[in-house]
């Protein structure tokens, strides 16, 4: 690469870094307790900064105390006085006598602690047993799927709460971080067979996963990542794998005479989105689906980089949705950059570089270091 190009790359990396930094410093500390999305903001920012090779543990360790404070242990009012634990998104949500921890904030917090290399916390403070027990209670016994939190009155998963593939993924990712690897280990806390049956029931006729037989790239990535963490991708038939790969490849917008131009069924793509991915049929390309589709493809085939021409995806992200003025990525080339798309835009690029663990959505090196130190 010529010197000018290298310097430009550095300037943009610095702009992205500043973009994520601004989000971490967004709210004055006196207001932080009121922001229920704060744990997600910390997670997305730290993923972005870790990808950019910022020394997150050294630079942002002042967030440790804040995250640790959100870990809540509760003794339930049942005949066994069951102890459960997890994270709340905000301290105003820590209401006495109510179980307010939820699995999404728990996963955001655990992954943020891993990125901060707070290994002491995993070794001596975090109670993996009660945390896994909380996850266990979020499973709906009849459906096998998961909800995000427990019912205030019954302290069990409420059958009226929404349950979908996202929550299944979150539940399994938490157990994986807590050390579960084999089916026997997962079975200690959840009904793994029933969960796999639920995931298989979300398969769509022409490949991919989604609710009510409508394939969706986000749900597909959640389903495949969950199966990968459970070491159960082999449950999928060759035919379904092939159909899913084909469906995913057709989500890539192409003006080079392949993919969507071959079958003219997709009329809403924009040719200048070449290389980007859409989340569903007949939708415009969107930065985040580059990550969801590429993550799905890399779980299904080792030839994914050749099949979908990742160079074109890189060009789409860098030339079309990257904001070269403010740093960050936007959903498309019209909106302002936002934290979610900035995180996933960088994640897609890191995945293409082979440096990202798509199943857990953190840099591979970060997770390897955690596993080595915490022997999980
Ligand atoms: Zn998006």
């Amino acid at each position: 690469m010529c010197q000018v190009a290298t310097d430009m790359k550095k300037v943009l990396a610095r702009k992205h870094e500043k973009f994520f930094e601004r989000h971490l410093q967004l709210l004055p500390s006196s207001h932080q307790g009121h922001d229920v999305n704060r744990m997600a903001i910390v997670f997305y920012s730290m993923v972005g900064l870790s990808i950019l090779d910022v020394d997150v543990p050294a630079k942002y360790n002042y967030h440790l105390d804040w995250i640790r404070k959100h870990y809540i242990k509760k003794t339930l009012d049942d005949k066994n006085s069951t102890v459960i634990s997890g994270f709340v998104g905000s301290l105003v949500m820590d209401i006495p006598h109510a179980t307010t921890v939820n699995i999404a904030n728990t996963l955001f917090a655990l992954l943020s602690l891993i990125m901060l290399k707070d290994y002491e916390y995993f070794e001596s403070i975090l109670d993996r047993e009660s945390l896994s027990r909380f996850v266990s209670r979020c499973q709906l016994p009849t459906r096998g799927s998961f909800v995000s939190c427990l019912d205030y009155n019954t302290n069990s998963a409420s059958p009226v709460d929404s349950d979908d593939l996202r929550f299944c993924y979150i539940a399994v990712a938490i157990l994986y971080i807590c050390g579960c690897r084999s089916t026997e280990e997962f079975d200690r806390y959840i009904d793994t067979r029933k969960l796999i049956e639920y995931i298989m029931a979300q398969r769509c006729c022409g490949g991919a996963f989604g609710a009510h037989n409508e394939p969706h790239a986000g749900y597909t990535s959640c389903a495949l990542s969950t199966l990968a963490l459970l070491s159960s991708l082999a449950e999928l038939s060759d035919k379904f794998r092939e159909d899913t790969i084909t469906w995913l490849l057709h989500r890539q917008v192409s003006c080079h005479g392949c993919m969507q131009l071959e079958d003219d069924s997709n009329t809403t793509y924009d040719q200048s989105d070449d290389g980007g991915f859409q989340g569903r049929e007949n939708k415009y390309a969107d930065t985040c689906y580059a990550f969801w589709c590429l993550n799905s493809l890399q779980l299904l085939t080792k030839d994914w980089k050749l099949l979908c021409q990742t160079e074109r995806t890189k060009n789409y992200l860098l030339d079309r949705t990257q904001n070269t003025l403010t740093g960050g990525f936007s959903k498309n080339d019209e909106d302002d950059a936002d934290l979610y798309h900035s995180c996933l835009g960088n994640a897609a690029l890191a995945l293409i570089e082979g440096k990202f663990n798509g199943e857990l959505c953190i840099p591979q090196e970060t997770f390897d270091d955690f596993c080595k130190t915490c022997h999980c």
Side-chain angles (χ1 to χ4, degrees):
M1 193 184 285
C2 72
Q3 192 54 41
V4 177
T6 313
D7 288 348
M8 269 309 284
K9 228 180 146 185
K10 274 188 203 150
V11 171
L12 284 178
R14 186 76 193 118
K15 282 185 177 174
H16 284 296
E17 190 182 325
K18 285 265 170 217
F19 179 88
F20 290 119
E21 204 163 53
R22 278 199 295 278
H23 283 83
L24 278 178
Q25 296 163 347
L26 200 61
L27 296 166
S29 54
S30 57
H31 292 161
Q32 283 180 3
H34 299 287
D35 185 1
V36 289
N37 295 320
R38 184 77 189 163
M39 202 63 85
I41 293 172
V42 168
F43 168 74
Y44 289 129
S45 305
M46 285 190 183
V47 171
L49 290 163
S50 302
I51 291 171
L52 296 168
D53 281 336
V54 174
D55 189 349
V56 170
K59 230 175 152 187
Y60 300 98
N61 62 359
Y62 61 90
H63 281 279
L64 278 181
D65 261 2
W66 184 86
I67 300 174
R68 284 178 171 209
K69 271 189 203 143
H70 289 66
Y71 180 55
I72 310 284
K73 232 174 176 179
K74 276 234 148 69
T75 305
L76 300 181
D77 193 15
D78 60 9
K79 62 179 189 305
N80 299 322
S81 299
T82 309
V83 179
I84 60 155
S85 66
F87 287 81
V88 288
S90 155
L91 291 177
V92 289
M93 292 297 289
D94 181 23
I95 306 158
H97 312 299
T99 312
T100 50
V101 289
N102 81 60
I103 58 172
N105 283 315
T106 299
L107 182 60
F108 286 142
L110 292 176
L111 290 171
S112 299
L113 291 170
I114 290 174
M115 286 184 280
L116 286 164
K117 293 192 192 287
D118 190 10
Y119 300 151
E120 181 205 340
Y121 189 82
F122 281 91
E123 296 287 356
S124 52
I125 303 172
L126 188 81
D127 178 5
R128 296 180 196 208
E129 197 58 34
S130 60
L131 186 66
S132 304
R133 213 176 287 134
F134 164 54
V135 172
S136 155
R137 285 197 165 229
C138 289
Q139 187 172 27
L140 290 166
T142 49
R143 288 167 62 80
S145 55
F146 286 80
V147 296
S148 65
C149 54
L150 302 181
D151 182 86
Y152 284 162
N153 296 316
T154 64
N155 281 318
S156 57
S158 165
V160 293
D161 267 5
S162 57
D163 63 323
D164 60 44
L165 287 163
R166 288 170 303 176
F167 301 124
C168 296
Y169 163 71
I170 291 169
V172 168
I174 294 171
L175 293 178
Y176 189 89
I177 292 168
C178 286
C180 290
R181 292 293 182 276
S182 66
T183 307
E184 295 72 36
E185 285 165 338
F186 280 106
D187 277 342
R188 280 188 61 205
Y189 304 104
I190 60 172
D191 186 340
T192 312
R193 183 41 37 202
K194 200 95 193 161
L195 167 62
I196 291 175
E197 277 168 28
Y198 171 82
I199 296 171
M200 298 303 266
Q202 310 302 305
R203 283 173 301 171
C204 302
C205 293
F209 292 82
H212 315 297
N213 205 26
E214 190 194 4
H216 186 283
Y219 283 141
T220 301
S221 179
C222 284
L224 294 172
S225 291
T226 310
L227 291 173
L229 294 173
L230 292 169
S231 307
S232 297
L233 279 168
E235 298 271 341
L236 302 172
S237 68
D238 289 347
K239 163 95 172 73
F240 182 76
R241 274 170 184 261
E242 286 307 315
D243 287 350
T244 304
I245 291 170
T246 305
W247 185 84
L248 288 162
L249 292 176
H250 277 79
R251 303 286 65 74
Q252 187 169 30
V253 174
S254 172
C255 59
H256 291 268
C258 57
M259 311 299 174
Q260 286 133 355
L261 290 186
E262 267 177 17
D263 59 355
D264 227 5
S265 58
N266 192 346
T267 51
T268 51
Y269 74 94
D270 180 339
Q271 284 209 12
S272 45
D273 279 340
D274 179 61
F277 283 86
Q278 53 180 203
R280 282 179 288 165
E281 287 158 44
N282 300 315
K283 296 280 178 190
Y284 288 111
D286 172 335
T287 295
C288 68
Y289 290 110
F291 176 73
W292 300 124
C293 289
L294 291 180
N295 183 47
S296 301
L297 282 164
Q298 62 102 11
L299 290 169
L300 290 171
T301 169
K302 59 180 185 341
D303 297 328
W304 62 285
K305 286 188 189 178
L306 297 171
L307 290 170
C308 60
Q309 304 164 54
T310 47
E311 271 310 305
R312 283 176 30 227
T313 311
K314 270 164 81 172
N315 292 341
Y316 161 78
L317 292 170
L318 295 174
D319 299 340
R320 192 146 168 90
T321 68
Q322 173 176 236
N323 191 317
T324 52
L325 285 176
T326 63
F329 287 83
S330 52
K331 176 188 167 84
N332 50 40
D333 69 335
E334 284 170 15
D335 295 2
D336 288 334
D338 66 82
L339 183 58
Y340 171 76
H341 289 95
S342 300
C343 172
L344 292 184
N346 276 292
L349 293 171
L351 196 70
I352 294 169
E353 295 295 314
K355 293 179 178 167
F356 203 70
N357 182 319
E359 290 114 281
L360 290 174
C361 206
I362 55 172
Q364 187 61 48
E365 210 182 287
T366 309
F367 189 66
D368 290 345
D369 192 67
F370 166 71
C371 285
K372 230 183 329 169
T373 316
C374 293
H375 312 291
C376 70

